[in-house]
Structure formats: C-alpha cells, structure tokens
Amino acid sequence: MNKELKILAIIIVLVGITYWGIEPYAHSKMHPHHEPATFKYEDLKAPNLKGDPKKGAQAIMNNGCTGCHSIKAAGIPAPMDPVSASASYGVNPPDLSNIAAVTDEKFLAAFIKHPVHAFKLDHKYKNKAFPMPDFFGSDQDLADIVAYLKSIAKPQTPKGAFEVACGRCHNLKYDGWTVIGEKPKFKNDVEKADFELKLAKYEANLKKYLGTTPPDLSMYIRSRGHEYIRDFVEDPQKILHGTAMPRVGLTEEATMKVIEHLEKVGDRKKEKRNKLGIWVLGYFVIFAILAYLWKQKIWRELH
C-alpha cells in the first residue's frame, strides 16, 4: 500500500470514529432521546356523547364563551382589542371560528372542560387561577359546543394554521406577522409609533403571563429542524419539562402545515440549495481526480 492510500485509510478511520462514536454520544447528551409525536393525546378522554351543532351555537352563548372569545364566522366580535385582552388575561383569547380546524377534537373537548390539565400546566397553576375557568356546563352542552365549532371551521392554509395555532404568542418577523396581527403599511411615523407601542404593551403582558418572551419563529426551522418542532408542538413538556409553552393540541395535519409555513418563511431556498448540493459534490470529485493526476505527473517527472 502506497503512502497516499495509508493516509486516506487513517482519515477514513478517524472520520468514522467521529461520526459513529463521538457525535452520537455528544448528541445524546445535548438532545436526550424522546419518543416521536403520535398526536393521539392518550391521557385525555374522548367525548362519549354526540353533539348537535345547532344546540352548540346556543350553548356557547349560554355558557359565556363569547364574554372573552370572538366568533367572526358567526358575526360575533371580540369584546376587547388584543392589547386590552392581554392586560386582562395575559394573552389575547383566540377567535373561535377556525379553532376546530387545527385542534384535535378530543383535545378541544378536554381543554374546554379543564384547560390547565389539557395544557399540561398543572405544575404552574397549583396555587393560582388560570385565566380560562373550567367548564361547569353539562357533558351534552360540551359535546354540542365542540360539534358547533367543528361545523363552522374552515380548512386552513399553512399560513392560516400558523396564525390560528401560534400567532397570538409568536412573532414571525420575516413574514410581517406580529402577535397583534399582520404588520400594516404605515402612512406616517405617528401610525408606526402607535402600532409599535401597542405591540410593546402586548409583548410585556405576554411575558408577564408566561414568565418569558416567546421567541420569534422566523428562523426556528433552521435552528431546530422539522422533527424537533413536530415533537415539541405535540407535547412541549415531554421535551423541555417546565417550559412556559403549553400543549396546544394540534392535529398532525395542522402541525405539518405550521412547519410548512415556517420552512417557507425561514428557509425559502432549501429546495434550490439541495439541488445545488449535487453539483458541489460533483465539483469536488472532479477536482480531486484532477489534483491526483497532476500530483502523479509531477512526481513521475521528479523520479
């Protein structure tokens, strides 16, 4: 075996040790293993009654849901603007028009019944009240409300799924989205200053409610990756115990739409980059062959 092949063999062995030995060990310490998302929410009970959407429309009024939530699909406006709502509840209560389009049915029923348990925030609200109270209506009322919410929900685009599921806590700067809505085009500096003041007030209320400022998700897909975000969204406490982010009960389909939107915003050139990778590898292979042939020619003349 000539000298070059011996050097190549040593490099391959060292790279192999790094790739199959050191890297997996370091990865296991930095990112402990967790079970992948199943979206089954097996700790929650499924509704055992069949709901009636028409009765649900009345039940949602009788049980006071519209005292905090808007239902734009039914022409019911929000009782407060986002900043005032965040001052009262910590976060702006969601419009209920499309909440059932992104949320698992079993989770939705469990959340209405007992929000803290469904959110997996029992550790945080042992001795203080959660902004949304438990549901004290009948099980039939609960089933009717869920049936009503399902009946008015419309299929969501990836962008729509993000806004419904994540948009009240997370900014998406590179898409012009803020926690109080789409960033408008300002006519003058006064409008811009007024909007930024409202945004700052909302974010301050949100931080007080959660105990931390939720991150802007513009580049999150690059720093965390597809699988981590999927598993984290399904159950944040499983991966980062004690985190301020609650379990939000998204369906697998809605989660994939959220990830698709994050990829579109934060990694717009992924497909182009992947295609270019083949050409870059080809360039290095050709360059290595030419360098080897050139080296052979030089040493042949010297000897």
Side-chain angles (χ1 to χ4, degrees):
M1 183 182 292
N2 61 35
K3 185 177 179 181
E4 287 78 11
L5 289 178
K6 289 179 180 176
I7 293 173
L8 179 61
I10 292 172
I11 292 174
I12 291 174
V13 170
L14 292 177
V15 170
I17 292 173
T18 304
Y19 185 77
W20 283 292
I22 298 174
E23 195 279 338
Y25 175 75
H27 189 82
S28 68
K29 294 297 180 184
M30 295 175 67
H31 303 286
H33 174 75
H34 61 264
E35 294 300 322
T38 63
F39 299 96
K40 293 181 178 178
Y41 303 107
E42 293 175 332
D43 59 310
L44 303 177
K45 292 182 179 178
N48 54 8
L49 297 173
K50 185 178 180 181
D52 182 336
K54 291 183 180 178
K55 292 181 179 178
Q58 187 59 49
I60 212 166
M61 301 295 290
N62 293 344
N63 285 280
C65 304
T66 53
C68 299
H69 296 276
S70 60
I71 311 178
K72 293 177 182 176
I76 300 173
M80 287 187 277
D81 64 86
V83 178
S84 300
S86 68
S88 297
Y89 309 119
V91 65
N92 187 25
D95 179 89
L96 300 182
S97 302
N98 294 307
I99 199 71
V102 300
T103 310
D104 178 81
E105 181 179 353
K106 184 166 62 172
F107 178 90
L108 184 57
F111 178 76
I112 296 171
K113 184 78 174 177
H114 190 359
V116 172
H117 179 66
F119 262 1
K120 279 196 167 183
L121 292 179
D122 300 271
H123 62 285
K124 188 175 179 181
Y125 290 94
K126 285 182 180 177
N127 302 312
K128 60 179 181 179
F130 187 67
M132 179 171 164
D134 288 358
F135 183 75
F136 292 106
S138 67
D139 287 347
Q140 186 59 61
D141 273 357
L142 178 60
D144 291 342
I145 289 173
V146 172
Y148 169 68
L149 294 176
K150 286 181 62 182
S151 72
I152 63 173
K154 304 295 184 187
Q156 295 297 295
T157 62
K159 181 180 176 68
F162 170 84
E163 292 176 3
V164 174
C166 318
R168 294 172 299 111
C169 291
H170 293 282
N171 292 318
L172 204 57
K173 182 180 177 182
Y174 289 180
D175 194 40
W177 178 262
T178 75
V179 286
I180 59 174
E182 202 86 43
K183 191 173 184 178
K185 292 183 179 178
F186 304 110
K187 295 179 181 176
N188 50 57
D189 290 343
V190 175
E191 283 189 0
K192 182 180 179 182
D194 182 57
F195 180 84
E196 290 179 346
L197 178 61
K198 289 178 180 177
L199 179 59
K201 287 181 177 178
Y202 186 99
E203 289 176 333
N205 292 330
L206 187 61
K207 182 179 180 180
K208 185 178 179 182
Y209 166 59
L210 292 174
T212 186
T213 301
D216 184 302
L217 299 182
S218 295
M219 299 298 290
Y220 226 60
I221 192 70
R222 291 201 183 190
S223 62
R224 295 294 187 272
H226 173 281
E227 291 184 359
Y228 180 91
I229 294 177
R230 178 200 64 197
D231 298 345
F232 188 76
V233 167
E234 190 239 15
D235 188 353
Q237 300 299 331
K238 180 175 68 178
I239 298 176
L240 194 60
H241 182 67
T243 180
M245 178 170 162
R247 178 172 62 173
V248 291
L250 299 191
T251 62
E252 183 173 8
E253 179 185 4
T255 303
M256 293 302 108
K257 286 184 177 180
V258 169
I259 292 172
E260 181 180 342
H261 187 56
L262 294 180
E263 287 181 334
K264 182 180 179 182
V265 172
D267 201 4
R268 297 174 189 270
K269 296 183 178 180
K270 181 180 179 181
E271 186 176 349
K272 184 178 180 181
R273 189 173 65 248
N274 288 341
K275 289 181 178 177
L276 183 63
I278 299 296
W279 292 101
V280 172
L281 290 174
Y283 166 80
F284 279 116
V285 170
I286 294 172
F287 181 80
I289 293 172
L290 293 176
Y292 178 76
L293 294 175
W294 177 77
K295 181 259 181 189
Q296 291 290 87
K297 179 177 180 298
I298 296 299
W299 280 92
R300 190 183 305 118
E301 293 174 353
L302 289 177
H303 292 287

